[in-house]
Amino acid sequence: MVVPHLKPGVAAVLLTQSIAAVGTMAIMPALPFYAMQHLHASALEVSMLSSCYNFSQFIFAPIIGALSDGLSRKWVMLGGLLCQAFCNCVQAEAESPASLLLARAMIGVAVSTGPVEMAYIMDFTHDEHQLGQVLALQRVVTNTGALVGPLVAHCFERAGFPALCRGLACINLLCLFLGTCLWESKSPRFETSGELVITQNEDASSSSAVTARAAESAPSLLDNYSKILENGMLCYLLIVSFSFTFSCGVSDGPEPLFFKERFFFGQTQFGFFFMVSNASTLVWSPLV
């Protein structure tokens, strides 16, 4: 799938997301078995691994998204990658179920830049048609990376979970380097609602005045939430999305325990289960 006139920064976002998907899906099959076999985690603690991760994103994703509206999206995304590398190193050193849960919560905060990456893509696409093509391409490349991840985990199974975490930290630093080189600091798309557009010939005082006026008129996070709740169709979609993710979250926690006890799954078999799921998504998502 080729998207014409694709900005280098947008291509870099897709590339870093696909690379990160490889590392993330290399860790996911190993995580519950490492917690059970090496840290002697209980069934409740294993189920809470995904809960801590998702709850952190639930709390911090809107905050980080609002932060990126005031600052440069580039620097927020780079900060997230740097935090991810640090948190994955912390996860590699976890010596108890409690420390592993804390590390998963920290990683959830660090990866809350996902909406910022989506906003960056929307800022640097020309129109809705190109945006649709980019989002379809994003789905393909991230699922391809997720498909490769369990293979990587199988190849490095003997290295152990801590080594996979350190490898993911190295992937985060690689994405940090790519983002530093290719992401742009400012968006070419400026939404105006009566404000003056500043040209290069205007003086600094005029620019400061308009910037201050724009900052004063910028809606707060609570204002944005209020507008969302006033939109009936959007509320309906949010409820459907919440119901879907809630049902997935309920099953994701005890899923490895179920497969281990009923079908005698190990890390390798659980990795192949992820591969089949990702392969199905990779095949059907472009068609849908």
Side-chain angles (χ1 to χ4, degrees), residues 136 139-140 143 280-288:
R139 189 74 174 176
V140 171
N143 281 307
S280 176
T281 305
L282 181 62
V283 171
W284 290 106
S285 60
L287 299 179
V288 175

Side-chain angles (χ1 to χ4, degrees), residues 213-244:
R213 187 168 68 254
E216 291 176 357
S217 62
S220 65
L221 188 60
L222 292 178
D223 292 334
N224 290 331
Y225 280 137
S226 299
K227 291 180 180 179
I228 290 174
L229 295 177
E230 291 172 0
N231 190 322
M233 182 58 67
L234 187 55
C235 284
Y236 173 75
L237 292 175
L238 289 174
I239 292 172
V240 172
S241 178
F242 173 80
S243 302
F244 173 76

